Amino acid sequence: MTDTSHQPALDNLLSEDRRFPPTAEFGAQANAHAEMYSWASADRLSFWAEQARNLLTWDTPFTEVLDWSAAPVARWFADGRLNACENAVDRHVREGRGERVALLFEGEPGDTRTLTYADLQREVSRAANAMLALGVGTGDRVAIYLPMIPEAVVAMLACARIGAIHSVVFGGFSAEALRSRIDDAQASLVITADGGYRKGKASALKPAVDEALGGAADALGPLDHGAQSSVHHVLVVRRTGQEVEWTDGRDVWWHEALEAASDQHTPVPVEAEHPLFILYTSGTTGKPKGIFHTTGGYLTQTAFTHLTVFDLKPETDVYWCTADVGWITGHSYVTYGPLVNGATQVIYEGTPDTPHQGRWWEIVQKYRVSILYTAPTAIRTCMKWGEELPAQYDLSSLRVLGSVGEPINPEAWMWYRRVIGDDRTPVVDTWWQTETGAIMISPLPGVTATKPGSAQAPLPGISAEVVDEMAQPVPNGSGGYLVLTEPWPSMLRGIWGDQQRYVDTYWSRFDGMYFAGDGAKKDEDGDIWLLGRVDDVMNVSGHRLSTTEIESALVSHPMVAEAAVVGAQDATTGQAVVAFVILRAEYRDRVDEVGEGADVAAELRAHVTTQIGPIAKPRTILVVAELPKTRSGKIMRRLLRDVAEHRTVGDVTTLADSSVMDQIATGLSSST
Ligand code: WTA
């Protein structure tokens, strides 16, 4: 990646010159301070040690901060002992915060539940005792396959309470995905539900567990299953009341087990480096990677970042992160960070458009949500639905908005701030990964003058750099690869059962540096802009172009709600740019008028030409109704590339809606 080849792509984002400095009022009350940067850069280890002491309660205080002697496996606070659930729940009750609301649950059908920290302590204690009664012990693995209901948080915390290692599998994954994750972790218990509510219907979960375990309904029968599977028991939450198959001796109702269990239980202190959880990444190729995290460092960084990046005031804020606990965002910013900080938070079971497209904003209004953390894809979906929808609700309680999961294009960032945040709230674009465990690069509200579309700077105590092929830092104004140059507390400790793969994947590309797999650039101020995965960087006629860059240009056109760009093989130029766009509602009629939307395509190609340059002009623009997305909302460019290159479309099993690909393929063949 040379500087000049990246230049056309960079110039578009580099010309973004809007700035939003913090207001004096916000700065005066902010949790974050500019001095944190100088303190951490002067003495990173004492900075983190201080956070670990202040934010967590330790059973045995640590004396060591970082042991990097077995690099790239770090040990943080290794001679200390603590319990994650004690930190997230019990100490709040002990210290007089038991009546504070921990969870405000909103089910998709409109049912609600409120759990205080004292309620949570009783529930989690019962669940821990029930798990112990089923033979689960410290170090055992427990698979959790649940909808977004309070029991998901309770189950995670109950594992942590007894030192068992949870492996949450997103409820939208198939039986096959669940089976491979259970097998890889050798889980002895699965916690699931009969089903959950999604898009206005009860959607079953238990059959996938039965299938994954080769249970009662399987031709092999339970005996063969028993010989093969590591799983001894399945705890089943009753959520929808739908019919379930039952394997006697294996399956146990959650409510019966909890009723029979005592609500008194003492959390088990574990070493700081005791594994807290395994989380499988949605692996594009090959076997999913079981990313595992440990206790002390992970809790330190999730709590610190949650407090400073979102400016959490636990007594007054109502926090809502829209992520499912099946993803890392749900682990770090639903279960652990917020609860360790004693926050009051909303959890919502369903989809944003059930029963209507204003549901999220209705929830913000109802609970007076003050901090909202969501993904760019959700923001762009709301842009597509039109700004009249959020305008119907009172969103005045909001004071901080966060974004995570993919690069946020400046137009979506601006829309988020203007339409949702009333041009008032700071927007924090937070870069991190399953592997990093917690936020790494982000503005700090109250401190940073934000720039639409940029994650800006590594947080205090974090060392990130943008390097070229030769591992040399690039100058300001240039692009390269994002690396992390020093170990951080919440870093992954490895890939479960495959440490060599850990070293190969993250530590072999650049000597002594963690390679994140993302492209990034530094602007003239040295601020970092994420450009998407490096495998999404295209090479057109020898020029490197970022998919994100072109998507951003497309979305900056008033007609476009959402865009996905891929590089397709091209005999002349190496790769060619192929764009898939969704139009905003107000412009959809125009496509019908002009047939295949040729007019629209010409206009958008001209727009990209003026935004970035002729080199970035898409060869093909296809107007589509939907984009293929994983259930976590990531656009699957791999599938779009298959369509653009006229190949048979690859594995679509992780798509939220697999029929989307057929519609797109049909459209493309008739328009090129
Ligand atoms: C991308 C989600 C740009 C990035 C927490 C990373 C981002 C991958 C951002 C990790 C952001 C996440 N700007 N890109 N603010 N946040 N990404 O493991 O490509 O699901 O490598 O973790 O998402 O995705 P993961």
Side-chain angles (χ1 to χ4, degrees), residues 180-200:
S180 69
R181 285 158 174 76
I182 290 171
D183 285 352
D184 189 75
Q186 291 288 291
S188 59
L189 174 71
V190 178
I191 305 179
T192 188
D194 48 1
Y197 293 98
R198 222 186 117 72
K199 293 190 190 288

mmCIF file of all heavy atoms in Angstrom, residues 180-200:
data_model
loop_
_atom_site.group_PDB
_atom_site.id
_atom_site.type_symbol
_atom_site.label_atom_id
_atom_site.label_comp_id
_atom_site.label_asym_id
_atom_site.label_seq_id
_atom_site.Cartn_x
_atom_site.Cartn_y
_atom_site.Cartn_z
ATOM 1 N N SER A 180 -21.122 -26.690 16.161
ATOM 2 C CA SER A 180 -19.663 -26.577 16.056
ATOM 3 C C SER A 180 -19.083 -25.770 17.221
ATOM 4 O O SER A 180 -17.997 -26.075 17.716
ATOM 5 C CB SER A 180 -19.254 -25.982 14.710
ATOM 6 O OG SER A 180 -19.631 -24.626 14.661
ATOM 7 N N ARG A 181 -19.833 -24.802 17.701
ATOM 8 C CA ARG A 181 -19.348 -24.009 18.841
ATOM 9 C C ARG A 181 -19.396 -24.811 20.139
ATOM 10 O O ARG A 181 -18.485 -24.720 20.966
ATOM 11 C CB ARG A 181 -20.155 -22.708 18.953
ATOM 12 C CG ARG A 181 -19.758 -21.689 17.872
ATOM 13 C CD ARG A 181 -20.863 -20.677 17.628
ATOM 14 N NE ARG A 181 -20.480 -19.617 16.708
ATOM 15 C CZ ARG A 181 -20.401 -19.757 15.383
ATOM 16 N NH1 ARG A 181 -20.654 -20.933 14.798
ATOM 17 N NH2 ARG A 181 -20.054 -18.724 14.618
ATOM 18 N N ILE A 182 -20.468 -25.577 20.318
ATOM 19 C CA ILE A 182 -20.561 -26.434 21.514
ATOM 20 C C ILE A 182 -19.418 -27.449 21.512
ATOM 21 O O ILE A 182 -18.749 -27.663 22.527
ATOM 22 C CB ILE A 182 -21.928 -27.169 21.551
ATOM 23 C CG1 ILE A 182 -23.051 -26.174 21.849
ATOM 24 C CG2 ILE A 182 -21.906 -28.304 22.572
ATOM 25 C CD1 ILE A 182 -24.456 -26.761 21.695
ATOM 26 N N ASP A 183 -19.177 -28.040 20.364
ATOM 27 C CA ASP A 183 -18.129 -29.069 20.270
ATOM 28 C C ASP A 183 -16.750 -28.482 20.513
ATOM 29 O O ASP A 183 -15.941 -29.050 21.232
ATOM 30 C CB ASP A 183 -18.155 -29.736 18.892
ATOM 31 C CG ASP A 183 -19.316 -30.701 18.778
ATOM 32 O OD1 ASP A 183 -19.972 -30.951 19.813
ATOM 33 O OD2 ASP A 183 -19.575 -31.185 17.661
ATOM 34 N N ASP A 184 -16.488 -27.336 19.882
ATOM 35 C CA ASP A 184 -15.162 -26.739 20.016
ATOM 36 C C ASP A 184 -14.858 -26.402 21.474
ATOM 37 O O ASP A 184 -13.743 -26.605 21.947
ATOM 38 C CB ASP A 184 -15.056 -25.483 19.152
ATOM 39 C CG ASP A 184 -13.632 -24.958 19.089
ATOM 40 O OD1 ASP A 184 -12.821 -25.577 18.384
ATOM 41 O OD2 ASP A 184 -13.329 -23.961 19.776
ATOM 42 N N ALA A 185 -15.862 -25.892 22.188
ATOM 43 C CA ALA A 185 -15.647 -25.502 23.581
ATOM 44 C C ALA A 185 -15.881 -26.669 24.537
ATOM 45 O O ALA A 185 -15.609 -26.553 25.725
ATOM 46 C CB ALA A 185 -16.572 -24.340 23.943
ATOM 47 N N GLN A 186 -16.421 -27.782 24.024
ATOM 48 C CA GLN A 186 -16.779 -28.923 24.877
ATOM 49 C C GLN A 186 -17.657 -28.464 26.047
ATOM 50 O O GLN A 186 -17.370 -28.740 27.222
ATOM 51 C CB GLN A 186 -15.511 -29.638 25.379
ATOM 52 C CG GLN A 186 -14.762 -30.366 24.267
ATOM 53 C CD GLN A 186 -15.552 -31.620 23.817
ATOM 54 O OE1 GLN A 186 -15.678 -32.590 24.554
ATOM 55 N NE2 GLN A 186 -16.098 -31.573 22.599
ATOM 56 N N ALA A 187 -18.739 -27.787 25.688
ATOM 57 C CA ALA A 187 -19.653 -27.279 26.718
ATOM 58 C C ALA A 187 -20.414 -28.435 27.359
ATOM 59 O O ALA A 187 -20.813 -29.381 26.675
ATOM 60 C CB ALA A 187 -20.634 -26.293 26.090
ATOM 61 N N SER A 188 -20.635 -28.341 28.689
ATOM 62 C CA SER A 188 -21.380 -29.412 29.350
ATOM 63 C C SER A 188 -22.845 -29.036 29.588
ATOM 64 O O SER A 188 -23.672 -29.891 29.847
ATOM 65 C CB SER A 188 -20.713 -29.790 30.677
ATOM 66 O OG SER A 188 -20.656 -28.665 31.520
ATOM 67 N N LEU A 189 -23.132 -27.748 29.511
ATOM 68 C CA LEU A 189 -24.510 -27.288 29.711
ATOM 69 C C LEU A 189 -24.864 -26.313 28.594
ATOM 70 O O LEU A 189 -24.022 -25.514 28.178
ATOM 71 C CB LEU A 189 -24.615 -26.571 31.075
ATOM 72 C CG LEU A 189 -25.949 -25.885 31.409
ATOM 73 C CD1 LEU A 189 -27.043 -26.918 31.686
ATOM 74 C CD2 LEU A 189 -25.795 -24.959 32.629
ATOM 75 N N VAL A 190 -26.124 -26.395 28.123
ATOM 76 C CA VAL A 190 -26.634 -25.395 27.185
ATOM 77 C C VAL A 190 -27.808 -24.690 27.867
ATOM 78 O O VAL A 190 -28.669 -25.354 28.452
ATOM 79 C CB VAL A 190 -27.120 -26.035 25.858
ATOM 80 C CG1 VAL A 190 -27.683 -24.963 24.917
ATOM 81 C CG2 VAL A 190 -25.997 -26.798 25.175
ATOM 82 N N ILE A 191 -27.828 -23.373 27.824
ATOM 83 C CA ILE A 191 -28.978 -22.626 28.347
ATOM 84 C C ILE A 191 -29.693 -21.994 27.161
ATOM 85 O O ILE A 191 -29.090 -21.249 26.382
ATOM 86 C CB ILE A 191 -28.543 -21.544 29.367
ATOM 87 C CG1 ILE A 191 -27.716 -22.195 30.485
ATOM 88 C CG2 ILE A 191 -29.770 -20.816 29.924
ATOM 89 C CD1 ILE A 191 -27.217 -21.211 31.554
ATOM 90 N N THR A 192 -30.967 -22.349 26.993
ATOM 91 C CA THR A 192 -31.706 -21.865 25.831
ATOM 92 C C THR A 192 -33.121 -21.481 26.254
ATOM 93 O O THR A 192 -33.422 -21.405 27.445
ATOM 94 C CB THR A 192 -31.713 -22.938 24.715
ATOM 95 O OG1 THR A 192 -32.268 -22.366 23.524
ATOM 96 C CG2 THR A 192 -32.524 -24.170 25.095
ATOM 97 N N ALA A 193 -33.980 -21.221 25.286
ATOM 98 C CA ALA A 193 -35.388 -20.910 25.561
ATOM 99 C C ALA A 193 -36.242 -21.667 24.552
ATOM 100 O O ALA A 193 -35.738 -22.100 23.511
ATOM 101 C CB ALA A 193 -35.633 -19.405 25.437
ATOM 102 N N ASP A 194 -37.534 -21.778 24.873
ATOM 103 C CA ASP A 194 -38.430 -22.374 23.868
ATOM 104 C C ASP A 194 -38.379 -21.542 22.589
ATOM 105 O O ASP A 194 -38.326 -22.066 21.483
ATOM 106 C CB ASP A 194 -39.861 -22.526 24.417
ATOM 107 C CG ASP A 194 -40.421 -21.270 25.103
ATOM 108 O OD1 ASP A 194 -39.717 -20.234 25.160
ATOM 109 O OD2 ASP A 194 -41.574 -21.324 25.575
ATOM 110 N N GLY A 195 -38.348 -20.222 22.755
ATOM 111 C CA GLY A 195 -38.256 -19.341 21.592
ATOM 112 C C GLY A 195 -38.195 -17.894 22.043
ATOM 113 O O GLY A 195 -38.048 -17.612 23.239
ATOM 114 N N GLY A 196 -38.286 -16.998 21.093
ATOM 115 C CA GLY A 196 -38.304 -15.571 21.410
ATOM 116 C C GLY A 196 -39.175 -14.878 20.388
ATOM 117 O O GLY A 196 -39.595 -15.494 19.407
ATOM 118 N N TYR A 197 -39.443 -13.591 20.634
ATOM 119 C CA TYR A 197 -40.287 -12.851 19.688
ATOM 120 C C TYR A 197 -39.436 -12.062 18.724
ATOM 121 O O TYR A 197 -38.513 -11.356 19.120
ATOM 122 C CB TYR A 197 -41.257 -11.938 20.436
ATOM 123 C CG TYR A 197 -42.275 -12.735 21.204
ATOM 124 C CD1 TYR A 197 -42.106 -12.987 22.561
ATOM 125 C CD2 TYR A 197 -43.379 -13.292 20.551
ATOM 126 C CE1 TYR A 197 -43.025 -13.752 23.269
ATOM 127 C CE2 TYR A 197 -44.300 -14.058 21.245
ATOM 128 C CZ TYR A 197 -44.123 -14.285 22.601
ATOM 129 O OH TYR A 197 -45.023 -15.052 23.293
ATOM 130 N N ARG A 198 -39.738 -12.211 17.454
ATOM 131 C CA ARG A 198 -38.997 -11.541 16.385
ATOM 132 C C ARG A 198 -39.935 -11.241 15.239
ATOM 133 O O ARG A 198 -40.647 -12.134 14.786
ATOM 134 C CB ARG A 198 -37.897 -12.490 15.887
ATOM 135 C CG ARG A 198 -36.569 -11.804 15.639
ATOM 136 C CD ARG A 198 -35.571 -12.761 15.009
ATOM 137 N NE ARG A 198 -35.198 -12.280 13.690
ATOM 138 C CZ ARG A 198 -34.423 -11.226 13.488
ATOM 139 N NH1 ARG A 198 -33.904 -10.581 14.494
ATOM 140 N NH2 ARG A 198 -34.145 -10.820 12.262
ATOM 141 N N LYS A 199 -39.956 -9.999 14.821
ATOM 142 C CA LYS A 199 -40.819 -9.559 13.713
ATOM 143 C C LYS A 199 -42.275 -9.978 13.942
ATOM 144 O O LYS A 199 -42.947 -10.481 13.045
ATOM 145 C CB LYS A 199 -40.306 -10.115 12.383
ATOM 146 C CG LYS A 199 -38.960 -9.544 11.956
ATOM 147 C CD LYS A 199 -38.646 -9.946 10.519
ATOM 148 C CE LYS A 199 -37.229 -9.628 10.118
ATOM 149 N NZ LYS A 199 -36.923 -8.203 9.933
ATOM 150 N N GLY A 200 -42.731 -9.802 15.182
ATOM 151 C CA GLY A 200 -44.135 -10.026 15.496
ATOM 152 C C GLY A 200 -44.543 -11.475 15.665
ATOM 153 O O GLY A 200 -45.730 -11.770 15.840
#
